[in-house]
Amino acid sequence: MKFLKLLVASLLLMSCSVIAQNKKNVLVFVVDDLGYYDISKHDADFYETPNIDQLAEDGLDFNNAYVAHPRCLPSRYALQTGRYPARAGIPSRNENTIKDKKFYDNEVTIGQAFKNNGYHTFFAGKWHLGHKEDEWPQNKGYDINIAGCAAGAPNSYFFPYNVPKNPKKVNKKGHGKIVGLDDGVEGEYLTDRLTDETINFINEDHKDPFFIMLCHYGVHTPFQAKKEHIKKYKAKLEGVTFEGPEYTLQDGYTKMHQNNVVYGAMVESVDESLGRVVKALKDKGLYDNTIIVFTSDHGGLSNRGVNNKRELATSNLPLRAGKGHTYEGGTKVPLIFAGAKITKKHTTDQVTTNTDLYPTLLDLCDLDLIPSEHKDGKSIKTEIQKGKTTDRTLFWHSSRARPKSTGDTNCTVVRDGNLKMSYFYDDDHYELYDLSKDPFEKTNLIDVNKKDAARLKQLITTWKEEVKATI
């Protein structure tokens, strides 16, 4: 009888193990401030990203992927909740907003949703949501949190990470302090450290499927990179001449060339990180059962205010503008789905935004959707698996502009089909573009296409009322 009980227990354990192995794992890899044209597969002039390129070759590369806001914090809120940030009064407050909080107390993040479905959840890197610990990853659905806190950027990319190279630039509010990485080796590079932590988690013996979110602080400022990479990109610039001026006076000042050697070196480091993480999955025999998502939180830092002398990272050309702006350069991002044999196609024109990741990943893992949570997200599982495209209407609401910093102004935007309309509050004007003919937003059709203009104006008005968007 004792032997029989042991046999039954063993069989049950084996059965549970098989069930866990059959469930798909998920890895979401997010780069900070990486523009759509900052990867070599997208014809980057300067950067080398062989690992990102290979992931795109092996998976599905999106030509029309967006984020819900062109700045870090609101975009990350959208990713975690599947909701437009304007719905929660982010970045400007509305009557539904709880003072000094980013989340509503009852919100179920994407991490919590997977945890509730039996997943072992892991977060590493930039969180940037909430000033207090009760809103950090370990209290928002993640079993493990490595360096996720209020910080929007490190004081230093080299250990010790909280000691800035320039003491005058330390963030006095403490929002630049990375919590949880007090130990390390002198000179250790932050991008490498987060990669190591993620690989250590992958290499554990998992009895449950896992959900990993690796959100790099790179390639956000401060511009700091490894010496050997900087040397390489300096050499690439030797003898190179660029046509035209370094900056043009549009949308503030726009950087015209990809020639920031330190930024290029930082891009290479996050590319190396992706390569190492994918290799770890393959070495562990998990690649074919892991859905990998590669993306950015918004477009590259390419614009500054007219009287601002700040160093800029990159050029998003031929897209218009960049970080902070709701033009294509600020909101269009790289997005790649790979692994787990989820698709046979390699590119798609499907329009999507980062609120869609929440329901899509649940759906791809055959888990129940939660429409009451990811209110502004739509699953594109079918579009990914079958290579079809369906219509998607998207909205943006930028209500705390930074004209001095990045040259942007307050606006609300809708994209419906190929038409994109923006209403700019500060000077009360509309812009309308047909992205199928004018993807670089050069020709304003507001006085030409009056019928569609009226329809899109109504879409903006209705949406703002629904989400209670405020300035």
Side-chain angles (χ1 to χ4, degrees):
M1 180 64 71
K2 186 177 180 180
F3 173 77
L4 184 59
K5 288 182 178 179
L6 287 172
L7 180 61
V8 170
S10 178
L11 289 172
L12 285 173
L13 186 61
M14 290 174 61
S15 175
C16 290
S17 177
V18 170
I19 291 171
Q21 290 171 8
N22 286 337
K23 287 186 177 180
K24 296 183 181 72
N25 303 305
V26 178
L27 167 70
V28 181
F29 189 108
V30 182
V31 187
D32 195 353
D33 287 17
L34 186 76
Y36 180 82
Y37 285 109
D38 283 350
I39 64 177
S40 47
K41 188 176 187 298
H42 292 171
D43 299 323
D45 294 334
F46 189 45
Y47 317 120
E48 296 180 19
T49 56
N51 296 296
I52 300 170
D53 300 347
Q54 188 60 55
L55 192 74
E57 290 292 331
D58 295 339
L60 185 64
D61 188 13
F62 282 74
N63 298 322
N64 283 299
Y66 294 88
V67 290
H69 198 280
R71 293 196 186 278
C72 302
L73 190 155
S75 174
R76 290 163 192 275
Y77 173 84
L79 173 58
Q80 290 297 327
T81 65
R83 302 181 183 190
Y84 285 124
R87 193 181 287 278
I90 298 173
S92 63
R93 300 296 178 179
N94 62 29
E95 62 267 32
N96 290 332
T97 304
I98 302 172
K99 186 178 180 181
D100 296 328
K101 297 193 72 155
K102 301 298 182 244
F103 295 96
Y104 296 114
D105 289 337
N106 60 348
E107 279 182 310
V108 176
T109 66
I110 185 173
Q112 187 68 59
F114 274 91
K115 183 175 180 177
N116 292 346
N117 279 284
Y119 277 66
H120 193 189
T121 53
F122 172 94
F123 184 93
K126 179 172 172 176
W127 180 253
H128 201 201
L129 292 167
H131 299 317
K132 297 181 180 179
E133 192 171 330
D134 65 343
E135 291 198 290
W136 295 355
Q138 66 270 31
N139 293 306
K140 289 297 174 182
Y142 294 90
D143 298 314
I144 299 172
N145 172 28
I146 307 293
C149 53
N155 282 312
S156 172
Y157 273 96
F158 293 94
F159 187 85
Y161 305 116
N162 291 320
V163 179
K165 288 186 175 182
N166 184 351
K168 294 180 180 180
K169 292 186 177 181
V170 65
N171 191 320
K172 294 179 180 180
K173 293 183 179 179
H175 299 165
K177 181 179 179 181
I178 296 177
V179 178
L181 291 183
D182 295 327
D183 63 319
V185 179
E186 187 78 23
E188 171 187 78
Y189 193 58
L190 179 56
T191 302
D192 294 339
R193 172 65 180 274
L194 295 175
T195 307
D196 292 342
E197 297 281 359
T198 304
I199 290 173
N200 289 341
F201 177 78
I202 289 170
N203 286 335
E204 293 177 7
D205 291 326
H206 295 279
K207 65 177 181 178
D208 297 316
F210 57 72
F211 178 85
I212 295 173
M213 189 163 281
L214 172 54
C215 295
H216 277 296
Y217 283 92
V219 290
H220 195 287
T221 55
F223 298 124
Q224 296 173 6
K226 292 186 277 190
K227 290 181 180 178
E228 62 269 26
H229 289 348
I230 294 175
K231 182 178 179 181
K232 172 182 175 178
Y233 283 87
K234 281 184 177 179
K236 290 188 70 171
L237 278 186
E238 290 180 5
V240 176
T241 57
F242 295 93
E243 294 183 5
E246 180 74 10
Y247 303 97
T248 57
L249 185 56
Q250 183 182 32
D251 308 316
Y253 273 106
T254 298
K255 184 174 174 61
M256 301 299 289
H257 309 304
Q258 294 182 342
N259 59 3
N260 186 324
V261 297
V262 181
Y263 180 80
M266 295 175 78
V267 171
E268 182 150 330
S269 284
V270 294
D271 179 76
E272 289 175 346
S273 170
L274 178 70
R276 290 180 58 206
V277 170
V278 170
K279 183 179 184 299
L281 290 170
K282 290 180 177 179
D283 289 347
K284 191 74 173 177
L286 297 171
Y287 180 83
D288 288 337
N289 197 46
T290 302
I291 298 168
I292 301 171
V293 178
F294 173 90
T295 193
S296 171
D297 63 344
H298 50 68
L301 176 62
S302 64
N303 288 67
R304 67 190 186 199
V306 173
N307 296 315
N308 194 325
K309 302 299 182 183
R310 71 185 298 189
E311 182 182 9
L312 295 175
T314 190
S315 172
N316 295 307
L317 294 176
L319 299 180
R320 182 172 174 179
K323 178 179 179 177
H325 294 258
T326 52
Y327 292 115
E328 296 288 281
T331 57
K332 187 173 181 177
V333 294
L335 176 64
I336 301 167
F337 273 75
K341 301 177 181 178
I342 57 174
T343 181
K344 292 182 180 179
K345 285 183 67 70
H346 294 294
T347 61
T348 178
D349 292 325
Q350 176 63 45
V351 174
T352 186
T353 188
N354 64 345
T355 59
D356 296 342
L357 292 179
Y358 189 153
T360 300
L361 288 171
L362 287 175
D363 212 1
L364 285 169
C365 292
D366 300 319
L367 303 174
D368 291 338
L369 303 189
I370 320 172
S372 61
E373 294 298 328
H374 44 75
K375 294 181 178 180
D376 301 305
K378 172 190 173 185
S379 172
I380 54 170
K381 174 182 178 178
T382 301
E383 290 81 351
I384 289 172
Q385 291 182 332
K386 299 193 175 177
K388 297 180 179 179
T389 58
T390 56
D391 291 338
R392 186 81 172 91
T393 300
L394 304 179
F395 294 91
W396 294 267
H397 183 66
S398 183
S399 51
R400 287 183 67 183
R402 298 181 189 177
K404 294 181 180 180
S405 175
T406 45
D408 53 299
T409 56
N410 297 307
C411 62
T412 302
V413 183
V414 59
R415 172 174 175 164
D416 187 53
N418 289 316
L419 295 178
K420 180 179 177 182
M421 170 181 277
S422 304
Y423 174 58
F424 293 90
Y425 297 95
D426 299 338
D427 56 3
D428 189 27
H429 85 276
Y430 286 90
E431 294 178 9
L432 175 63
Y433 301 101
D434 183 345
L435 296 178
S436 66
K437 301 175 182 177
D438 181 22
F440 312 131
E441 297 167 292
K442 295 180 178 180
T443 305
N444 185 3
L445 303 174
I446 193 65
D447 294 324
V448 177
N449 193 342
K450 294 186 177 181
K451 182 177 180 181
D452 280 317
R455 179 177 63 83
L456 294 173
K457 286 179 182 179
Q458 186 58 51
L459 281 178
I460 287 176
T461 299
T462 302
W463 178 79
K464 284 176 57 185
E465 292 174 351
E466 179 199 343
V467 302
K468 296 183 171 59
T470 56
I471 295 294

